[in-house]
Amino acid sequence: MEWQRVLNQWRILVYSLWQKNIIKLACCDLCFSAISDTITEQEMPTQRLLCTHCLNELPLFRLEQLQGDLLHWPAIIKGLPQRGFNRLLTVAPYTAPFDHWLKQLKYQGRFELAPLFATLLYKQWQHAHHIHPFDSVDLVISVPVHQSKWQIRGYNQAHLIAQRFANKLQVPYQSNLIKRVKQGDSQVGKTGAQRRRALRGNFAINDATLKHIKHVVLVDDVVTTGSTANEISKLLISLGVHTVTLVTVCISLPLSNKVK
Ligand SMILES: [Zn+2]
């Protein structure tokens, strides 16, 4: 829709000004206290939305009892019967303020939330790594959206989070490894002989770039049924990847309020 496209362009402009420090955000997103008094660039260089108090009070999953892997929680295993991935790292259950924030990023173009999510993911990653070290990561990718959705929305929220998270991990990020296609779409002859693609179910993958890739981190904003992550993970593993770690901001399960 035209108005949605114009609105998103306007938001992208405001966000770019904010990134360049032309627009300053001074209030905590949750308690409205002045951030400049409570947080410094050194403390949290990539998020300016929350004061230190609210940042420390966020309802994050506690990983100590889970050996740094949410797949050790019986309620999660019950809620995600199909798990093609080997390990799951999630910041928080799909409750306030995360449910609200994720909708704002996905539908309202509130792009300043992406650095906050990447910061929280990295904090959780470091915590999990301390409890049970991750194997060395070769590549970070994000769950793709179909091109038709991308054209309407103008962006993929998982991509915005994943590229910043990869930057913090200091691991290469590839945005075009996997494409979401309509089931039955033929990729034959579309991309030339040098780009081999495997097409399984809803995804097309540029498998030539997977050579020597052993550990892939797959990033999404929220996992619900896990079927998309499962399908991508199985595809990667069938093409020679040893380990897929699924990293998401939230998990939305019927039991999610009982597992924090
Ligand atoms: Zn606050």
Side-chain angles (χ1 to χ4, degrees):
M1 278 176 280
E2 183 63 18
W3 66 268
Q4 200 169 5
R5 193 181 61 78
V6 172
L7 189 63
N8 279 342
Q9 282 179 346
W10 181 81
R11 284 185 172 125
I12 289 166
L13 174 68
V14 171
Y15 179 63
S16 68
L17 293 173
W18 173 77
Q19 272 192 315
K20 291 169 187 163
N21 279 333
I22 295 168
I23 294 176
K24 293 270 185 190
L25 297 178
C27 291
C28 173
D29 205 58
L30 295 177
C31 72
F32 305 110
S33 68
I35 289 180
S36 56
D37 293 334
T38 55
I39 197 163
T40 66
E41 287 287 309
Q42 287 73 31
E43 278 179 323
M44 194 58 76
T46 50
Q47 79 86 22
R48 299 170 214 172
L49 284 181
L50 298 181
C51 69
T52 306
H53 174 75
C54 290
L55 193 65
N56 292 332
E57 290 297 310
L58 288 173
L60 309 189
F61 280 120
R62 295 197 175 94
L63 301 174
E64 294 85 354
Q65 308 290 321
L66 303 171
Q67 298 159 53
D69 182 358
L70 268 82
L71 293 183
H72 286 123
W73 196 287
I76 301 271
I77 293 170
K78 194 177 171 189
L80 297 175
Q82 291 188 316
R83 299 176 304 277
F85 38 90
N86 306 90
R87 187 166 172 177
L88 173 63
L89 182 75
T90 299
V91 171
Y94 193 67
T95 53
F98 288 95
D99 51 352
H100 186 56
W101 280 339
L102 283 170
K103 285 175 192 160
Q104 286 184 325
L105 175 61
K106 187 171 180 177
Y107 299 112
Q108 297 170 21
R110 210 176 157 213
F111 301 119
E112 66 269 29
L113 287 163
L116 172 66
F117 292 147
T119 299
L120 293 172
L121 278 176
Y122 185 60
K123 191 178 167 189
Q124 201 78 325
W125 177 278
Q126 286 179 307
H127 189 196
H129 185 69
H130 181 71
I131 297 166
H132 185 86
F134 290 97
D135 293 338
S136 138
V137 178
D138 301 304
L139 187 67
V140 175
I141 62 172
S142 53
V143 170
V145 293
H146 192 270
Q147 196 177 2
S148 59
K149 273 192 185 171
W150 191 89
Q151 281 172 341
I152 293 170
R153 210 178 287 155
Y155 59 95
N156 171 9
Q157 70 283 356
H159 161 75
L160 296 176
I161 299 165
Q163 66 177 167
R164 287 167 175 82
F165 178 65
N167 198 28
K168 288 174 185 296
L169 278 187
Q170 298 185 308
V171 167
Y173 171 68
Q174 195 167 344
S175 62
N176 59 356
L177 180 76
I178 295 178
K179 279 190 176 176
R180 196 185 281 261
V181 293
K182 279 183 186 164
Q183 215 151 11
D185 276 2
S186 172
Q187 298 296 308
V188 178
K190 285 185 177 174
T191 56
Q194 76 279 20
R195 290 191 74 191
R196 293 186 302 127
R197 280 182 168 176
L199 178 61
R200 316 269 170 87
N202 296 308
F203 298 97
I205 186 164
N206 182 1
D207 62 345
T209 57
L210 280 178
K211 213 176 175 185
H212 308 305
I213 299 290
K214 299 298 175 201
H215 184 189
V216 173
V217 167
L218 174 63
V219 177
D220 205 357
D221 53 346
V222 56
V223 61
T224 47
T225 64
S227 61
T228 303
N230 181 48
E231 195 177 344
I232 293 173
S233 302
K234 280 186 171 174
L235 183 53
L236 290 169
I237 284 169
S238 75
L239 293 169
V241 172
H242 286 188
T243 308
V244 178
T245 299
L246 177 61
V247 170
T248 71
V249 178
C250 282
I251 186 162
S252 175
L253 292 174
L255 298 171
S256 64
N257 59 343
K258 295 180 183 173
V259 296
K260 63 181 169 179

